[in-house]
Amino acid sequence: MSSKITAAITAVGGYVPEYRLTNAELEKMVDTNDEWIRTRTGITERRILKGKDLGTSDMVVPAVQEILDKRKISAEEIDCLIVGTVTPDTIFPSTANIACYKLGAVNAWGFDLAAACSGFLYALTTGAALIESGRYKKVIVAGGDKMSAIVDYSDRTTCIIFGDGAGAVLLEPNTEGYGVLDSILRSDGAGGHHLHMKAGGSLKPASIETVTNKEHYIYQEGQPVFKHAVRDMADVSYELMQRNQLGADDIAWLVPHQANKRIIDATANRMGLPHEKVMLNIQKFGNTTAGTIPLCLWEWQDQLKKGDKIVLAAFGGGFTWGSTLIKWGC
Ligand code: UT7
């Protein structure tokens, strides 16, 4: 027991919508085929949030509610909710604000954090710092995106990749060394033009022209993003291993952002990790942006053992990227 407070992950929740958008269905929408999608990305299907008046908060809320139910705690006990997302319900109020209202988390404050596919890692590091400060006892960090809201379903280069979903973790103070141990987070705005949304912000507000020009959808130049992702996600994960004196045998799991199976394989190879130690659910959920990492933890939670050293790694729009080391504490 030490006096140092760490932020332990004490519960995980997740939510994916029911509707499955298969490769076969996409074949009817754009000029693509199942084989191309599977071999280039590893994706077979993705979930889509269908229905009127449903936004990202409608996936964050059930993910958080699962945590509350599991831990038998009430929404009033939540101190803070941070939501990593680039598809907030509205630009303001924040999705965190809306979700807290829907959950009845009347004592919580919170905010959205926009770091694209690295949103969950940025939010996790931020949430952990709130716990480590000693001022907060229950911080929920969620990551979720309704990517279908910003995908152009006539663009075959992007519509095959993305899906909808959200996951969340509860962070609580720990004095036995469990939880978030280290994080290396990076950003480089020079990569912004390779992956972004062209309009809808203060720089280029929505207008008839921006809608006509399809500027409210994801714009991605796949190849440069791929090249940076392969190099940077692996580099930062390797650096994290080195500075914590960890060999491949010391790491129980790699939890990579699920953007492309080939990027995941490259990161695992660089870290010297066999496939059995790599969480992979891209085949059924696609790329849910800030949702991918917590959704992996959600799916694998029963296989995780107390004390497991786990590396989380992400790369996304911004560019943003990073790697976080946790010691499993549930
Ligand atoms: O999570 C956020 C970060 N994002 C990423 O990490 C994504 C990184 N990038 C990628 O994952 C890949 O670049 C993609 C999956 C987006 C594309 O794969 P690629 O191997 O880089 O393909 P490409 O863009 O080089 O395209 C190869 C060919 C092209 O045809 P030509 O020019 O060789 O005739 C494309 O037009 O494949 C064509 N193509 C398709 N064909 C069938 C592009 N999209 C499709 C498609 N179906 N959906």
Side-chain angles (χ1 to χ4, degrees):
M1 194 108 131
S2 81
S3 57
K4 186 168 181 268
I5 300 171
T6 52
I9 294 178
T10 56
V12 188
Y15 178 83
V16 286
E18 268 174 39
Y19 189 84
R20 293 158 195 262
L21 176 60
T22 62
N23 289 352
E25 196 178 342
L26 283 166
E27 282 179 6
K28 292 182 203 141
M29 296 158 67
V30 288
D31 179 15
T32 190
N33 61 79
D34 175 56
E35 214 238 322
W36 191 97
I37 302 173
R38 275 189 294 103
T39 51
R40 298 287 177 131
T41 69
I43 304 169
T44 304
E45 61 181 35
R46 52 307 274 143
R47 302 297 182 95
I48 303 295
L49 185 64
K50 295 256 183 184
K52 212 174 160 290
D53 298 331
L54 294 176
T56 296
S57 73
D58 296 293
M59 299 187 292
V60 169
V61 166
V64 175
Q65 191 61 54
E66 185 182 332
I67 288 176
L68 301 181
D69 295 345
K70 259 194 226 156
R71 285 292 321 282
K72 297 187 175 35
I73 54 180
S74 73
E76 285 99 6
E77 292 176 65
I78 304 173
D79 294 317
C80 179
L81 171 66
I82 308 174
V83 180
T85 189
V86 285
T87 51
D89 285 26
T90 52
I91 288 185
F92 73 92
S94 73
T95 308
N97 218 186
I98 296 164
C100 282
Y101 172 69
K102 289 179 177 173
L103 286 158
V106 290
N107 297 313
W109 62 288
F111 55 94
D112 292 355
L113 194 157
C117 299
S118 309
F120 182 75
L121 287 197
Y122 274 39
L124 182 64
T125 305
T126 307
L130 294 180
I131 294 284
E132 288 157 10
S133 76
R135 289 185 62 183
Y136 300 100
K137 304 285 178 240
K138 286 185 173 51
V139 173
I140 295 192
V141 174
D145 275 292
K146 182 186 169 187
M147 296 306 289
S148 61
I150 59 167
V151 164
D152 175 1
Y153 285 98
S154 66
D155 173 10
R156 70 173 182 172
T157 67
T158 51
C159 74
I160 52 127
I161 298 171
F162 295 98
D164 303 338
V169 298
L170 173 64
L171 298 179
E172 292 185 272
N174 184 277
T175 50
E176 294 169 329
Y178 293 102
V180 179
L181 302 186
D182 195 11
S183 237
I184 302 175
L185 300 176
R186 302 252 192 265
S187 93
D188 181 2
H193 62 283
H194 294 304
L195 176 53
H196 65 149
M197 190 191 284
K198 291 184 183 298
S202 58
L203 184 67
K204 201 171 190 189
S207 67
I208 290 170
E209 193 193 356
T210 62
V211 173
T212 309
N213 293 339
K214 297 185 166 192
E215 289 177 333
H216 298 274
Y217 293 126
I218 298 165
Y219 172 84
Q220 174 171 268
E221 293 160 7
Q223 283 195 7
V225 179
F226 185 90
K227 277 185 199 141
H228 279 273
V230 165
R231 191 193 63 201
D232 297 340
M233 199 162 109
D235 277 358
V236 84
S237 302
Y238 188 70
E239 189 184 335
L240 188 77
M241 285 172 77
Q242 297 250 297
R243 92 172 181 193
N244 287 278
Q245 285 102 42
L246 295 174
D249 291 343
D250 303 314
I251 295 167
W253 293 98
L254 168 66
V255 192
H257 169 54
Q258 312 279 309
N260 187 315
K261 186 171 179 302
R262 290 182 289 149
I263 299 171
I264 294 171
D265 290 344
T267 305
N269 285 343
R270 179 82 194 283
M271 295 170 75
L273 294 178
H275 294 305
E276 305 83 70
K277 288 188 174 183
V278 182
M279 294 187 194
L280 192 77
N281 58 15
I282 191 172
Q283 69 283 2
K284 53 184 184 177
F285 296 152
N287 181 349
T288 55
T289 302
T292 59
I293 291 176
L295 280 174
C296 281
L297 294 173
W298 176 60
E299 278 219 292
W300 265 265
Q301 57 187 318
D302 292 340
Q303 292 181 55
L304 305 180
K305 296 191 205 69
K306 197 165 184 179
D308 275 354
K309 294 224 169 99
I310 303 174
V311 173
L312 320 176
F315 183 91
F319 293 139
T320 56
W321 69 101
S323 197
T324 296
L325 173 66
I326 57 175
K327 191 172 171 192
W328 198 247
C330 288

